[in-house]
Amino acid sequence: MKPFHILIALVAMYAPVAWSQCAPGIPSAGNPGCIPPDQSNSPYYQGTAPSAPQPVWADRWGAVAVDLGTGQSGATSDQGSESQARSEALSACERNGGTKCEIVLWYFNQCAAIAEKPEGGSFGKAHADTVERAEQLALQACGGGSCKVIYTKCSLPVRVQ
């Protein structure tokens, strides 16, 4: 055999097999079937992707304390627990001059409202998922008519993770 024919025979013997072109985004090297990498039978499959961690929320509390004899009041919001909210509202009421303060409203992860009827001294209180809804419920509890909303506040949960 002539050297030229030997060279052609060697090239033919070691010539690469023709590979088909895979679709964009699908690796072709070592993947003769052009299997997408997210399929379990793909040579590039690495299992399912880890899921994102679920968010973690912290509750937030609020409270309102009133001395019903004098009308002095105190309020707090965005506290980490019910007991903190109650304690802070009572302390605020006492700092404002109340001597017989009591909790009239507490809430968490919501909004609160208090409505008052000026001439009669009656009031209504409520908590709901929105300020608007809390105001509406407080006005209804007050008795409507000349009642006016005198307090609104929200204590909404806080994402901690």
Side-chain angles (χ1 to χ4, degrees), residues 101-125:
C101 298
E102 60 184 83
I103 300 295
V104 295
L105 175 65
W106 62 269
Y107 56 99
F108 73 102
N109 300 342
Q110 291 184 321
C111 299
I114 296 179
E116 179 181 56
K117 188 177 282 188
E119 67 277 355
S122 67
F123 70 95
K125 59 189 179 182

Short mmCIF file of all heavy atoms in Angstrom, two decimals, residues 101-125:
data_model
loop_
_atom_site.label_atom_id
_atom_site.label_comp_id
_atom_site.label_asym_id
_atom_site.label_seq_id
_atom_site.Cartn_x
_atom_site.Cartn_y
_atom_site.Cartn_z
N CYS A 101 -56.47 52.79 83.91
CA CYS A 101 -56.41 52.42 82.49
C CYS A 101 -56.74 50.95 82.32
O CYS A 101 -56.36 50.11 83.14
CB CYS A 101 -55.01 52.69 81.94
SG CYS A 101 -54.55 54.45 82.00
N GLU A 102 -57.45 50.67 81.25
CA GLU A 102 -57.75 49.28 80.90
C GLU A 102 -57.67 49.12 79.39
O GLU A 102 -57.91 50.06 78.63
CB GLU A 102 -59.14 48.86 81.42
CG GLU A 102 -60.28 49.69 80.88
CD GLU A 102 -61.62 49.30 81.50
OE1 GLU A 102 -61.92 49.77 82.60
OE2 GLU A 102 -62.33 48.51 80.85
N ILE A 103 -57.33 47.92 78.97
CA ILE A 103 -57.22 47.62 77.54
C ILE A 103 -58.63 47.55 76.96
O ILE A 103 -59.47 46.80 77.46
CB ILE A 103 -56.48 46.29 77.29
CG1 ILE A 103 -55.06 46.33 77.86
CG2 ILE A 103 -56.48 45.93 75.80
CD1 ILE A 103 -54.14 47.32 77.18
N VAL A 104 -58.89 48.37 75.94
CA VAL A 104 -60.20 48.32 75.29
C VAL A 104 -60.13 47.67 73.91
O VAL A 104 -61.16 47.31 73.34
CB VAL A 104 -60.84 49.73 75.17
CG1 VAL A 104 -61.13 50.29 76.56
CG2 VAL A 104 -59.97 50.66 74.36
N LEU A 105 -58.91 47.54 73.38
CA LEU A 105 -58.75 46.95 72.04
C LEU A 105 -57.35 46.40 71.91
O LEU A 105 -56.38 47.07 72.27
CB LEU A 105 -59.00 48.03 70.98
CG LEU A 105 -58.78 47.65 69.51
CD1 LEU A 105 -59.77 46.59 69.07
CD2 LEU A 105 -58.91 48.88 68.63
N TRP A 106 -57.24 45.19 71.41
CA TRP A 106 -55.93 44.63 71.04
C TRP A 106 -56.12 43.88 69.73
O TRP A 106 -57.21 43.41 69.41
CB TRP A 106 -55.35 43.75 72.14
CG TRP A 106 -56.17 42.54 72.48
CD1 TRP A 106 -57.14 42.44 73.42
CD2 TRP A 106 -56.10 41.26 71.86
NE1 TRP A 106 -57.68 41.18 73.42
CE2 TRP A 106 -57.06 40.43 72.46
CE3 TRP A 106 -55.32 40.72 70.84
CZ2 TRP A 106 -57.25 39.11 72.08
CZ3 TRP A 106 -55.53 39.40 70.46
CH2 TRP A 106 -56.47 38.62 71.10
N TYR A 107 -55.05 43.80 68.96
CA TYR A 107 -55.13 43.21 67.62
C TYR A 107 -53.74 42.78 67.18
O TYR A 107 -52.74 43.24 67.73
CB TYR A 107 -55.72 44.23 66.63
CG TYR A 107 -54.95 45.53 66.57
CD1 TYR A 107 -54.03 45.76 65.56
CD2 TYR A 107 -55.12 46.52 67.53
CE1 TYR A 107 -53.30 46.94 65.50
CE2 TYR A 107 -54.40 47.70 67.47
CZ TYR A 107 -53.50 47.90 66.46
OH TYR A 107 -52.78 49.06 66.41
N PHE A 108 -53.69 41.87 66.21
CA PHE A 108 -52.39 41.50 65.64
C PHE A 108 -52.55 41.19 64.16
O PHE A 108 -53.59 40.70 63.72
CB PHE A 108 -51.75 40.32 66.39
CG PHE A 108 -52.38 38.98 66.16
CD1 PHE A 108 -51.78 38.06 65.31
CD2 PHE A 108 -53.55 38.64 66.80
CE1 PHE A 108 -52.37 36.82 65.10
CE2 PHE A 108 -54.13 37.40 66.61
CZ PHE A 108 -53.54 36.48 65.75
N ASN A 109 -51.51 41.55 63.41
CA ASN A 109 -51.46 41.34 61.97
C ASN A 109 -52.67 41.94 61.26
O ASN A 109 -53.13 41.40 60.25
CB ASN A 109 -51.33 39.85 61.63
CG ASN A 109 -50.08 39.23 62.20
OD1 ASN A 109 -49.14 39.92 62.56
ND2 ASN A 109 -50.06 37.93 62.29
N GLN A 110 -53.19 43.03 61.80
CA GLN A 110 -54.37 43.69 61.26
C GLN A 110 -54.29 45.19 61.51
O GLN A 110 -53.32 45.68 62.06
CB GLN A 110 -55.65 43.17 61.93
CG GLN A 110 -56.00 41.76 61.59
CD GLN A 110 -57.32 41.36 62.22
OE1 GLN A 110 -57.63 41.72 63.35
NE2 GLN A 110 -58.12 40.60 61.48
N CYS A 111 -55.37 45.86 61.13
CA CYS A 111 -55.53 47.28 61.40
C CYS A 111 -56.65 47.45 62.42
O CYS A 111 -57.54 46.61 62.51
CB CYS A 111 -55.88 48.04 60.13
SG CYS A 111 -54.60 47.90 58.86
N ALA A 112 -56.59 48.55 63.17
CA ALA A 112 -57.60 48.81 64.20
C ALA A 112 -58.13 50.22 64.04
O ALA A 112 -57.45 51.10 63.49
CB ALA A 112 -57.00 48.63 65.59
N ALA A 113 -59.34 50.44 64.54
CA ALA A 113 -59.95 51.77 64.51
C ALA A 113 -60.85 51.93 65.72
O ALA A 113 -61.45 50.97 66.20
CB ALA A 113 -60.75 51.97 63.23
N ILE A 114 -60.94 53.18 66.19
CA ILE A 114 -61.87 53.54 67.25
C ILE A 114 -62.65 54.75 66.77
O ILE A 114 -62.07 55.71 66.25
CB ILE A 114 -61.13 53.85 68.58
CG1 ILE A 114 -60.43 52.59 69.08
CG2 ILE A 114 -62.12 54.39 69.62
CD1 ILE A 114 -59.65 52.79 70.36
N ALA A 115 -63.96 54.68 66.94
CA ALA A 115 -64.84 55.80 66.60
C ALA A 115 -65.54 56.26 67.87
O ALA A 115 -65.82 55.45 68.76
CB ALA A 115 -65.86 55.37 65.55
N GLU A 116 -65.80 57.55 67.95
CA GLU A 116 -66.40 58.11 69.16
C GLU A 116 -67.57 59.03 68.79
O GLU A 116 -67.51 59.74 67.79
CB GLU A 116 -65.34 58.92 69.91
CG GLU A 116 -65.82 59.56 71.18
CD GLU A 116 -64.73 60.36 71.86
OE1 GLU A 116 -64.16 61.26 71.22
OE2 GLU A 116 -64.46 60.06 73.03
N LYS A 117 -68.59 59.01 69.63
CA LYS A 117 -69.74 59.91 69.48
C LYS A 117 -69.50 61.05 70.48
O LYS A 117 -69.60 60.85 71.69
CB LYS A 117 -71.04 59.18 69.79
CG LYS A 117 -72.28 59.99 69.47
CD LYS A 117 -73.54 59.18 69.72
CE LYS A 117 -73.74 58.24 68.57
NZ LYS A 117 -75.01 57.53 68.60
N PRO A 118 -69.16 62.24 70.00
CA PRO A 118 -68.76 63.34 70.89
C PRO A 118 -69.80 63.71 71.94
O PRO A 118 -69.47 63.90 73.11
CB PRO A 118 -68.52 64.51 69.93
CG PRO A 118 -68.32 63.90 68.60
CD PRO A 118 -69.09 62.62 68.60
N GLU A 119 -71.06 63.80 71.56
CA GLU A 119 -72.06 64.27 72.52
C GLU A 119 -72.47 63.21 73.54
O GLU A 119 -72.87 63.54 74.64
CB GLU A 119 -73.30 64.81 71.79
CG GLU A 119 -74.13 63.78 71.04
CD GLU A 119 -73.61 63.44 69.65
OE1 GLU A 119 -72.64 64.05 69.18
OE2 GLU A 119 -74.17 62.52 69.04
N GLY A 120 -72.36 61.96 73.17
CA GLY A 120 -72.82 60.92 74.10
C GLY A 120 -71.70 60.20 74.81
O GLY A 120 -71.92 59.48 75.76
N GLY A 121 -70.49 60.38 74.36
CA GLY A 121 -69.36 59.71 74.99
C GLY A 121 -69.24 58.24 74.65
O GLY A 121 -68.35 57.57 75.14
N SER A 122 -70.13 57.70 73.84
CA SER A 122 -70.01 56.29 73.47
C SER A 122 -68.96 56.13 72.38
O SER A 122 -68.62 57.08 71.68
CB SER A 122 -71.36 55.74 73.01
OG SER A 122 -71.74 56.33 71.79
N PHE A 123 -68.43 54.93 72.29
CA PHE A 123 -67.42 54.67 71.26
C PHE A 123 -67.58 53.27 70.71
O PHE A 123 -68.21 52.41 71.33
CB PHE A 123 -66.00 54.93 71.79
CG PHE A 123 -65.51 53.92 72.80
CD1 PHE A 123 -64.74 52.84 72.40
CD2 PHE A 123 -65.82 54.07 74.15
CE1 PHE A 123 -64.28 51.92 73.32
CE2 PHE A 123 -65.37 53.15 75.08
CZ PHE A 123 -64.60 52.08 74.67
N GLY A 124 -67.01 53.06 69.54
CA GLY A 124 -66.99 51.74 68.91
C GLY A 124 -65.57 51.41 68.53
O GLY A 124 -64.78 52.30 68.21
N LYS A 125 -65.24 50.17 68.56
CA LYS A 125 -63.88 49.73 68.23
C LYS A 125 -63.96 48.52 67.32
O LYS A 125 -64.95 47.78 67.34
CB LYS A 125 -63.12 49.39 69.51
CG LYS A 125 -63.83 48.30 70.29
CD LYS A 125 -63.26 48.08 71.65
CE LYS A 125 -64.11 46.99 72.27
NZ LYS A 125 -63.85 46.60 73.54
#
